[in-house]
Each structure stands twice: as C-alpha cells, then as structure tokens.
Amino acid sequence: MTARIREFLRSRRDDGPCLVVDLDVVRDNYMQFSRALPDTRVFYAVKANPAPELLRLLAGLGSCFDTASVAEMEMVLATGATADRISFGNTIKKERDIVRALEIGVRLFAVDCEAEVDKIVRAVAATGAEDVKVFCRILCDGAGAEWPLSRKFGCVPEMAVDVLEHAHRHGLEAYGVSFHVGSQQANTHAWDQALASSAAIFRECTERGIRLSMVNLGGGFPTQYLKSVPAVEAYGQSIFEALSRHFGNRIPETIIEPGRGMVGNAGVIEAEVVLVSQKSRAEDEIRWVYLDIGKFGGLAETMDESIRYAIRTPHDDAPKTPCVLAGPTCDSADVLYERTPYELPVSLAIGDKVLIEGTGAYTSTYAAVAFNGFPPLKSYMI
C-alpha cells in the first residue's frame, strides 16, 4: 500500500470493488530487474496485467514483451513498441495466428513439439517471412513454487534437441531453450537444474551442427504476499552463478519473463464486507465473511488456496478469529479460504472496507465479464 494508492482510495467515488496499481512501483521493479540481471533482456509477461498505461510505461523503459495471443501483440504495438520486441511465447498457437504474427513483424516463437514447428514452417511459406527464430520449451518440476505449473507446456529435455533439429532442417533458426520454474518461486536456486538441462541441450545441438544462442529463463520471480520472499538481487546472483557453472565462459544470451514479480506488489484491491455469518450457533464455530469480490471477480488464484493474499481491515489491532472467506456469487465454488481459514478481526462488520494487497498481477484479467450480473473488476492505473 503506497501513499498514492491510499490517497486515491480516500478520494474516489465508491462504485464497487476495484484494483489500483501504482505505476511508480512498476517502474522501480523494472529497474531492479535490470540491475539484478544487467546482461539479460526483460520480456514482460503481458498476461499478468495488460493495462495500456502499464504497457506504455514499460515500453518507454525499454522492456520487451512476452505475449500469448495476437490480441496481446496488438496491445504492445499500440504503445509504439516495435514487433522485434515481442515474443510469441505460447506453445499452443493457431496457424492463422502465427501468420498474423509474422505479418506484423514478430519473429520469435516458442515451440515444444515438432507439430508446432510445422505450423510455423507453413506460415513462413505462406507469408515469405525471413529470419524466424524458435526456442523450445522444456519441462520443469516447479518444486518450491506456490503456483507450480502443470505439464501443459514443454517437453522433456531429451526431446528438445530433436524439436530444434527439426526446426533447423526446415529453414527456421533454432535459437534456444526456454523453461519456467513455477510461478511465485521462493527458491532462488530453482533455475540450477533447468540450466544444467539447457547446457546439455546446447552441447548436443552443437554436436549435430546446430549452434543455439539463447536461454529464456522464464518467469517465476515472486511478489510479496503473506510470506517474505528473497530480493530480486538474490535471484540474479543465483542465476548468474548457475549460468557460469553450466556454461563456463560461453554464457548464452538470456531473457527473463517477469509478470507477477513486475506488477504484483504494485496493486491493491479495495473490497467491501457484504455479510458476516456462522453456519451454526456453536460459540467456537468458524465465521464466514462474504466480500463483494471472489474467484469470479479477480481472485481466481485463491483456487486450491495457492495464493494467500495479505488482507488489511480497519480493525487489525482487535482480537482475531478464524474465518472462511467467500465471494458474492451464487456458485458454491466461489469460496476463497476454507481449507485453511483466515484470521480476521472479531469486530469486522458488514459494510467495512478491506484491502487485499499484492493484487497487481493476475486479477483484473481473471475477472469474469458478467457472471451473475456482477461487472468486471474496475482497474485504475495511477
């Protein structure tokens, strides 16, 4: 919570729950990433928060952009950034979207299988595009991450060499390797094993006459929720040491794709208590606190209680009691913290405003369009 956000909330007209992002915090985060990994290009993960004001800020600072769709590419281009600063990082792409990306000048694509390579090859033939680069995403176990990624993206390292050779033989530039160590990764050494696998892929490709150039270190850089997290500098130092250990004096070009770590701590959601109740009259029964925002209003990452946000109330100095938090919709899945109830003040009452911190990433774009008639989460960039 910054002074700028506090003042904005104090003066705004109450029109339901809202997200407020302080762009000065985003600017500071970008500079921290730049200093922590000075020889690494930053490709901001647009999916984390694609607000136009935020994208314009990052474009002006020199950031590149990791995009998952043509729509996200167009958002980036609208800032004035050029297509050579865009990566099509989604490994699941429609062929017509690859064609469109090539038409607007994008030349960097993620793949994780030969079939995806074939789509790009056909799109290149259809458009006449040149100098098209692909990097192959490999699987990581995500140990240490609060939001581990599934096996949806990536292939085993042993298969990556064949995928890159397939791209090379069909006229694409086999550019490098990528991986993702899991979102909200608390272990600064989580990149070590993935970089060991990457170095092995580089060596085997060299033996096949293919010289790779780049390692995409992915995202995973955390933001502050309830638990303390290491500073960006600690991640930078650990990653550089791992690069030196596995690549020696021939350290490749590197890029990172921070999303949560770039914008998470810049945002605060203000919500209202709609109801406080109990399910029985037992004195020790857990209370239920219903907010005017829930999983369908932007708090989807509370699914499986993976992300536990810091929640501030007007009564934080009062005695606390275990509470289950839930959203306002008529859907039984719209419950936030039931498995591990949340300690909230006994004096918390209907109409009280609460502040949900660390919500700058993966909230406004996770909000439903109008489920149950509730409008999408309002978003303000200040």
Side-chain angles (χ1 to χ4, degrees), residues 225-350:
Y225 293 122
L226 287 177
K227 301 176 184 177
S228 296
V229 295
V232 171
E233 291 78 10
Y235 289 92
Q237 181 63 32
S238 179
I239 288 171
F240 178 75
E241 290 173 357
L243 280 165
S244 299
R245 181 162 51 252
H246 298 299
F247 286 90
N249 294 326
R250 306 184 75 172
I251 293 178
E253 174 190 344
T254 53
I255 67 178
I256 55 174
E257 298 174 341
R260 188 187 308 278
M262 185 72 79
V263 298
N265 68 333
V268 173
I269 287 175
E270 183 181 65
E272 182 178 330
V273 176
V274 178
L275 178 67
V276 180
S277 70
Q278 290 179 282
K279 299 300 182 184
S280 80
R281 295 189 183 279
E283 290 183 3
D284 61 347
E285 187 70 21
I286 290 174
R287 300 201 312 170
W288 283 65
V289 174
Y290 298 87
L291 305 177
D292 61 353
I293 184 174
K295 284 182 179 174
F296 303 103
L299 302 181
E301 288 201 318
T302 61
M303 181 174 59
D304 296 328
E305 303 188 16
S306 295
I307 300 297
R308 292 183 68 85
Y309 296 105
I311 300 174
R312 310 300 177 198
T313 81
H315 314 286
D316 283 346
D317 293 332
K320 294 181 171 61
T321 188
C323 299
V324 173
L325 273 79
T329 63
C330 286
D331 193 304
S332 60
D334 196 9
V335 178
L336 310 183
Y337 302 121
E338 183 174 14
R339 186 176 61 212
T340 306
Y342 204 105
E343 294 286 325
L344 289 173
V346 175
S347 51
L348 191 66
I350 294 170

Side-chain angles (χ1 to χ4, degrees), residues 39-41 175-177 195 198-199 202 212-217 240 242-244 246-255:
D39 297 321
T40 298
R41 287 190 296 164
Y175 189 47
V177 179
L195 283 169
S198 299
F202 268 60
L212 304 181
S213 302
M214 183 275 294
V215 173
N216 180 344
L217 301 162
F240 178 75
L243 280 165
S244 299
H246 298 299
F247 286 90
N249 294 326
R250 306 184 75 172
I251 293 178
E253 174 190 344
T254 53
I255 67 178

Side-chain angles (χ1 to χ4, degrees), residues 53-65 76 79-81 85:
E53 303 93 330
L54 194 156
L55 296 181
R56 282 198 296 271
L57 168 69
L58 291 172
L61 292 171
S63 181
C64 298
F65 299 90
V76 171
T79 70
R85 291 163 66 179

Side-chain angles (χ1 to χ4, degrees), residues 22 62 128 136 138 151 160 169 182 242 268 277 283:
D22 189 336
C136 186
I138 59 175
R151 291 173 58 85
R169 287 180 174 176
V268 173
S277 70
E283 290 183 3

